[in-house]
Amino acid sequence: MARQRPGFTLLEMLIALGVFAVIGVMSSQILSGIVDLSDTVRDRSEELEELQRTMFIISRDVEQMARRPVRDAFGDSTAAIIIGEPLIEFTRRGWQNPLRSPRSELQRVAYTVDDGDLVRQFWPLLDRGPDTEPIDQVLLRGVADVEFLAHASRGEEPSAGEREGPAPRTQEFRYWPVAVDADDDENALEAIELRLDHAVYGRLERLWTVAPRGDFLLDGDQPGLPGAEGRDSDGELDPDREPSS
């Protein structure tokens, strides 16, 4: 009599197929989660890199700030530092010129927000003409809110005999300059603060100290330095000068 070979019953086959199906579903879910995590990490890494690059550019601009007013498209003198609208506008040093183009090494820059994007603007000329348009650079996306603040000490401080308690703190100003005499404001300006709300990283705050007006690195009125041409002995703009780069 022939000997029967052992085999699997129908129930055992169904159980085995069910186990393999469960393992397959779990494996696909794990793989899908790993892919999603990889995409999220890459996106967050790109966002962090974009944020770090933006903060570096802003720090570089503010730390090289020059107290050099410019002329607008109508020929009127504009304050060296403006806060409010746009967010901030000022003159900075260190505009590299490797091609030796006929332009100044000072650069007029501004920061503004456009549809949730933080945009850096700069002008090819310091003193603008009617047809001078800024060049836009999108620095950071996903900006919920951003503002620049001026920290300044205004008013006369009490003498040593009259002062009681700690020294008075600086005041915050959302608009700058705040006085008719811009020179008084510039002398009082001590720091500039950035408050930025990012869609991913939340509230970010940075504070930069502004050097005194006579500081060599920040003062654009030093004789013989870029930006000093076309000024009188007091370092003011000559009203009869032609707009220059």
Side-chain angles (χ1 to χ4, degrees):
M1 182 175 177
R3 185 177 179 181
Q4 294 182 349
R5 296 181 179 179
F8 296 101
T9 64
L10 178 60
L11 180 60
E12 292 173 336
M13 291 293 295
L14 292 176
I15 294 175
L17 291 176
V19 171
F20 279 115
V22 171
I23 294 176
V25 171
M26 294 176 60
S27 300
S28 64
Q29 291 179 346
I30 293 174
L31 180 60
S32 177
I34 293 175
V35 172
D36 293 341
L37 179 60
S38 177
D39 293 339
T40 301
V41 171
R42 183 179 64 252
D43 294 341
R44 292 294 181 267
S45 177
E46 292 175 355
E47 291 170 349
L48 180 59
E49 181 180 356
E50 184 180 58
L51 178 61
Q52 291 175 333
R53 181 173 62 250
T54 298
M55 299 305 296
F56 171 77
I57 292 174
I58 297 176
S59 297
R60 181 192 61 186
D61 285 346
V62 175
E63 290 172 358
Q64 298 187 89
M65 184 180 295
R67 300 177 186 269
R68 201 287 199 181
V70 299
R71 294 186 183 276
D72 60 18
F74 302 100
D76 298 327
S77 179
T78 302
I81 304 169
I82 300 174
I83 296 178
E85 183 60 38
L87 295 174
I88 189 170
E89 179 181 332
F90 57 91
T91 306
R92 66 171 291 258
R93 292 189 177 278
W95 190 13
Q96 297 183 2
N97 190 8
L99 300 180
R100 303 294 181 182
S101 302
R103 63 168 174 80
S104 173
E105 292 185 358
L106 298 178
Q107 184 184 53
R108 190 70 174 181
V109 299
Y111 287 87
T112 185
V113 174
D114 182 15
D115 195 21
D117 296 338
L118 181 62
V119 180
R120 179 184 186 267
Q121 297 179 322
F122 70 92
W123 284 263
L125 303 174
L126 283 176
D127 299 325
R128 309 163 200 169
D131 57 347
T132 305
E133 296 293 335
I135 299 173
D136 294 347
Q137 298 174 309
V138 178
L139 296 182
L140 184 63
R141 295 176 174 83
V143 175
D145 186 31
V146 60
E147 64 177 345
F148 285 88
L149 302 174
H151 291 259
S153 56
R154 297 187 53 80
E156 297 183 359
E157 295 186 0
S159 61
E162 299 175 349
R163 180 176 300 171
E164 296 181 0
R169 299 180 60 183
T170 59
Q171 294 178 300
E172 294 181 359
F173 298 91
R174 283 182 167 82
Y175 295 92
W176 193 264
V178 295
V180 176
D181 191 347
D183 286 340
D184 290 343
D185 276 350
E186 289 189 17
N187 291 331
L189 184 62
E190 297 184 4
I192 291 178
E193 181 180 1
L194 168 65
R195 296 177 182 175
L196 187 149
D197 291 327
H198 192 266
V200 176
Y201 295 102
R203 169 60 65 95
L204 301 171
E205 297 181 357
R206 288 291 304 273
L207 183 68
W208 296 276
T209 302
V210 176
R213 183 181 179 88
D215 189 281
F216 178 84
L217 294 178
L218 298 182
D219 192 352
D221 301 333
Q222 296 287 343
L225 293 178
E229 63 277 4
R231 295 174 177 270
D232 56 23
S233 59
D234 296 327
E236 301 297 331
L237 286 172
D238 186 353
D240 298 327
R241 70 186 286 262
E242 296 293 332
S244 61
S245 60

